[in-house]
Amino acid sequence: MISDDIEEILFTPERLKTRVQEIASEINEEYEGKSLLLVGILKGCMYFMADLIRALKVPLAIDFMSISNYGFSTQKTGVVRILKDLEKPIENQHILIVEDVVDTGLTLGYLLKILKERSPASLRVCALLDKPVYRIMRVPVDYRGFELDRRFVVGYGLDYQERYRHFPFICVLKKEICPL
Ligand code: 5GP
């Protein structure tokens, strides 16, 4: 059973739901009278983005980007590659990047740099999880779900070797399954 791989559940579906609603309320308030383009970073954003947009009341559109980074946290070089870019120009639009985890900040730093060059009206970041202990690059996280320590987590869209994304909660896996 796949549930045998779980060490500990950190965020239950109920807790995730409540927090997503809270973030959505903040966004609804701060973007009142504006329309938004949410840019989801695949694939980790999938559940978060789906729940967040259903709680938003401002007019919005969505698009996605897919980024590949070479290696994991500790070996990260800041070299990222765009696997899928946005469909349209974003000039003069209010952009909100929806990211699963901000860890070293290198992925987000790179994304912010390239999106800024496209002259949006505004550019902000909404991240489900923030791991400030691993930060290498200073990046703004305007909306944050939860702060997390060093633990590597899966579920609610997050994977380990492409598995476990479908868990409705966020959990830590047993060390023998995931040594990260
Ligand atoms: P960074 O901020 O280091 O450039 O990279 C963040 C990316 O690393 C996230 O988008 C995510 O793909 C991956 N990542 C970082 N921490 C975790 C974690 O705890 N679990 C999972 N599944 N991915 C993580």
Side-chain angles (χ1 to χ4, degrees):
M1 286 266 283
I2 196 170
S3 56
D4 293 338
D5 297 353
I6 299 169
E7 174 72 34
E8 186 189 349
I9 293 177
L10 299 185
F11 305 113
T12 61
E14 295 73 29
R15 194 147 172 232
L16 289 165
K17 189 175 177 200
T18 306
R19 189 68 193 117
V20 171
Q21 297 287 338
E22 287 168 359
I23 296 171
S25 302
E26 276 182 59
I27 297 172
N28 283 330
E29 222 170 87
E30 288 173 28
Y31 285 89
E32 204 187 332
K34 295 176 183 153
S35 59
L36 254 182
L37 176 68
L38 285 101
V39 173
I41 311 305
L42 295 169
K43 304 174 195 168
C45 75
M46 54 187 284
Y47 288 82
F48 181 40
M49 177 100 159
D51 287 344
L52 184 69
I53 58 176
R54 283 180 290 177
L56 289 177
K57 298 193 172 89
V58 291
L60 64 86
I62 61 170
D63 204 345
F64 295 95
M65 286 182 87
S66 181
I67 307 285
S68 96
N69 34 40
Y70 300 100
F72 255 105
S73 295
T74 46
Q75 314 127 31
K76 270 187 183 161
T77 56
V79 183
V80 286
R81 196 159 51 99
I82 297 178
L83 299 178
K84 185 215 169 295
D85 206 339
L86 298 174
E87 283 171 8
K88 293 182 187 158
I90 56 167
E91 204 176 337
N92 297 325
Q93 294 184 60
H94 295 288
I95 308 300
L96 184 60
I97 297 175
V98 181
E99 181 55 303
D100 54 358
V101 190
V102 182
D103 191 353
T104 62
L106 294 172
T107 310
L108 188 57
Y110 174 78
L111 267 171
L112 285 166
K113 181 178 169 291
I114 57 163
L115 293 182
K116 245 178 226 163
E117 285 164 3
R118 301 181 190 184
S119 309
S122 68
L123 181 58
R124 283 183 165 182
V125 176
C126 178
L128 176 64
L129 300 174
D130 189 3
K131 290 184 173 175
V133 282
Y134 283 133
R135 200 72 95 249
I136 293 172
M137 188 182 280
R138 275 236 293 207
V139 284
V141 180
D142 303 282
Y143 305 96
R144 153 185 315 118
F146 302 96
E147 201 172 292
L148 198 63
D149 51 21
R150 297 173 184 277
R151 283 179 289 182
F152 187 88
V153 291
V154 299
Y156 197 62
L158 298 166
D159 75 309
Y160 172 58
Q161 297 182 341
E162 289 303 324
R163 295 176 68 201
Y164 309 104
R165 289 192 199 276
H166 63 293
F167 282 162
F169 42 73
I170 291 181
C171 66
V172 179
L173 295 172
K174 286 183 178 152
K175 271 278 171 268
E176 61 265 32
I177 304 288
C178 171
L180 293 176

